[in-house]
C-alpha cells in the first residue's frame, strides 16, 4: 500500500530532533567558524594542525561555557563557492576537525558547508559521526551572494539514503539571510516554511538579513508557528535578546556575540560564553 505524505507539523512531538540529539529543547549551539581551509582564497599556507587546534579550542570554549553543542562551519572560505564547485579537500579537512571535536569533547556536533553544500555536509557528518547538518536553502531557490542557489532537498535526501545515514538530522533555514527571495515572492514566507517540512526537514532555522543581524520577534514567531517543528534562531542572538527569543523558539545558534570583541572572525571568548549562559539561567 502506498504511504501518504506526512502531514505538515506531524514530526513535532513524535520525533523531536532537538530532544533526540540534545536530550532537551531550549538549546544553545555555538558555531565553530573554521579558519580558511587549504584550497580557499584566503588560505595562506597555515599548518593544518593549527587550523584543527583552533577549531577544537573554539568548540571547547563553547562547551565548557555551557553550550549544548556546536556546528562546524567553513566560514573562513570566503568568497563561498556554489555546491558543485566545492572541492573534495574541503570535506576532507572538515571531517578531521569535526571528528576530533566529537571524540575529544563528547558532545553533539553539526556540520554546515558554505554555500548550501548539503551533500558535502552529509559526507562529513557521516565520516565524523556528527548528529545533524545545517542547509541554508533546502527547498525552492533564491539569489544569494554566490548567485542562483537551488534547494538541495531532493539530491541530499537520496544521497543520505545511499549512505544509510538517515539518523543525520536536517536543520533547514527559512527565508535564509544573505539572499533575495523574489523568485518565490508571490508566496508568503509561511508557505515557504511549510515547504521545508514537506521536504522532510527535521528543524527550521530563522535568521536576520546577514551574519550577526537579529530578526524581528514577530517574524520569528511567524516562522515558528508555520513550521510546527523544532525551531531555532540562527543569527543576531545576543545576551540582550536571547531570553526573549527563547521564549518563542526551541533553541539558538550563536557565534558573533560570543567572539572576542563581538567580531565573527575572532576566536571564541570563554568569558563571553560563560556570561551568556549565566544570563539565560538567571
Amino acid at each position: 500500500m502506498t504511504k501518504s505524505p506526512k502531514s505538515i507539523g506531524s514530526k513535532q512531538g513524535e520525533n523531536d530532533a532537538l530532544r533526540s540529539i540534545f536530550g532537551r529543547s531550549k538549546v544553545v549551539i555555538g558555531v565553530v567558524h573554521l579558519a580558511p581551509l587549504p584550497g580557499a582564497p584566503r588560505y595562506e599556507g597555515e599548518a593544518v594542525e593549527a587550523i584543527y587546534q583552533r577549531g577544537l579550542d573554539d568548540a571547547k570554549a563553547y562547551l565548557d561555557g555551557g553550550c549544548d553543542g556546536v556546528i562546524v562551519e567553513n566560514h573562513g572560505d570566503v568568497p563561498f563557492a556554489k555546491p558543485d564547485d566545492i572541492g573534495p579537500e574541503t570535506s576532507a579537512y572538515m571531517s578531521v576537525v569535526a571528528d576530533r571535536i566529537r571524540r575529544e569533547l563528547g558532545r553533539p556536533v553539526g556540520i554546515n558547508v558554505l554555500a548550501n553544500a548539503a551533500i558535502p555536509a552529509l559526507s562529513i557528518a557521516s565520516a565524523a559521526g556528527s548528529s545533524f547538518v545545517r542547509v541554508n536553502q533546502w527547498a525552492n531557490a533564491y539569489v544569494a551572494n554566490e548567485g542562483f542557489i537551488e534547494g538541495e532537498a531532493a539530491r541530499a535526501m537520496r544521497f543520505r539514503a545511499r549512505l544509510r545515514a538517515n539518523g543525520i538530522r536536517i536543520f533547514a533555514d527559512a527565508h535564509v539571510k544573505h539572499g533575495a527571495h523574489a523568485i518565490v515572492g508571490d508566496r508568503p514566507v509561511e508557505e515557504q516554511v511549510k515547504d521545508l517540512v514537506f521536504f522532510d526537514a527535521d528543524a527550521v532555522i530563522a535568521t536576520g538579513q546577514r551574519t550577526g543581524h537579529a530578526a524581528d520577534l514577530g517574524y520569528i514567531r511567524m516562522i515558528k508557528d508555520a513550521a510546527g517543528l523544532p525551531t531555532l534562531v540562527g543569527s543576531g542572538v545576543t545576551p540582550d535578546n536571547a531570553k526573549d527569543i527563547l521564549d518563542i523558539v526551541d533553541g539558538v545558534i550563536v557565534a558573533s556575540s560570543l567572539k572576542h570583541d563581538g567580531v565573527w572572525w575572532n576566536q571564541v571568548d570563554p568569558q563571553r560564553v560563560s556570561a551568556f549562559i549565566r544570563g539565560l539561567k538567571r
Side-chain angles (χ1 to χ4, degrees):
M1 183 174 67
T2 302
K3 294 181 180 179
S4 61
K6 290 190 286 285
S7 61
I8 297 299
S10 66
K11 291 184 182 179
Q12 182 69 49
E14 295 178 11
N15 193 16
D16 187 314
L18 294 185
R19 291 189 181 278
S20 174
I21 295 169
F22 300 99
R24 65 190 189 91
S25 60
K26 303 299 179 182
V27 299
V28 178
I29 304 171
V31 184
V32 176
H33 288 145
L34 295 176
L37 298 172
R42 297 186 184 184
Y43 176 68
E44 296 181 345
E46 183 179 10
V48 293
E49 284 297 328
I51 295 172
Y52 299 155
Q53 189 60 51
R54 172 173 171 158
L56 184 59
D57 290 344
D58 277 354
K60 191 173 189 301
Y62 283 127
L63 298 174
D64 285 353
C67 291
D68 299 285
V70 296
I71 297 176
V72 177
E73 183 175 282
N74 61 325
H75 210 111
D77 289 356
V78 182
F80 305 123
K82 290 184 179 182
D84 291 340
D85 296 328
I86 295 172
E89 69 279 3
T90 299
S91 296
Y93 294 116
M94 290 186 69
S95 294
V96 173
V97 68
D99 181 67
R100 290 190 183 184
I101 290 169
R102 181 187 60 81
R103 288 177 182 273
E104 295 195 30
L105 302 178
R107 305 287 284 281
V109 176
I111 305 295
N112 186 21
V113 183
L114 300 167
N116 210 54
I119 288 175
L122 286 166
S123 298
I124 296 162
S126 179
S130 300
S131 304
F132 64 99
V133 299
R134 180 178 182 178
V135 184
N136 301 120
Q137 190 70 21
W138 186 243
N140 296 308
Y142 78 130
V143 177
N145 303 145
E146 301 80 25
F148 182 66
I149 301 293
E150 296 183 70
E152 285 284 273
R155 292 201 310 159
M157 293 298 268
R158 285 162 175 79
F159 182 73
R160 188 180 72 169
R162 290 200 298 275
L163 294 182
R164 302 294 192 267
N166 290 336
I168 299 171
R169 302 304 189 97
I170 306 297
F171 288 28
D173 284 67
H175 208 235
V176 65
K177 61 188 176 183
H178 293 292
H181 300 76
I183 297 168
V184 287
D186 58 335
R187 299 178 67 233
V189 174
E190 295 93 329
E191 288 298 318
Q192 297 175 47
V193 173
K194 291 177 181 178
D195 291 339
L196 304 177
V197 185
F198 187 67
F199 277 2
D200 285 342
D202 297 294
V204 172
I205 301 171
T207 68
Q209 291 296 315
R210 61 190 176 279
T211 299
H213 179 254
D216 176 78
L217 292 179
Y219 173 82
I220 293 169
R221 187 175 290 105
M222 176 268 293
I223 288 178
K224 167 67 175 175
D225 291 345
L229 286 177
T231 303
L232 305 96
V233 167
S235 73
V237 179
T238 70
D240 295 330
N241 65 18
K243 280 188 175 181
D244 290 337
I245 290 171
L246 281 168
D247 281 343
I248 300 170
V249 297
D250 306 292
V252 293
I253 299 169
V254 60
S256 299
S257 65
L258 303 186
K259 301 293 192 74
H260 287 284
D261 301 322
V263 178
W264 73 262
W265 57 78
N266 289 341
Q267 288 201 254
V268 177
D269 183 341
Q271 294 183 343
R272 284 186 176 231
V273 178
S274 298
F276 180 85
I277 298 298
R278 285 197 306 270
L280 290 179
K281 290 180 178 179
R282 285 199 299 269

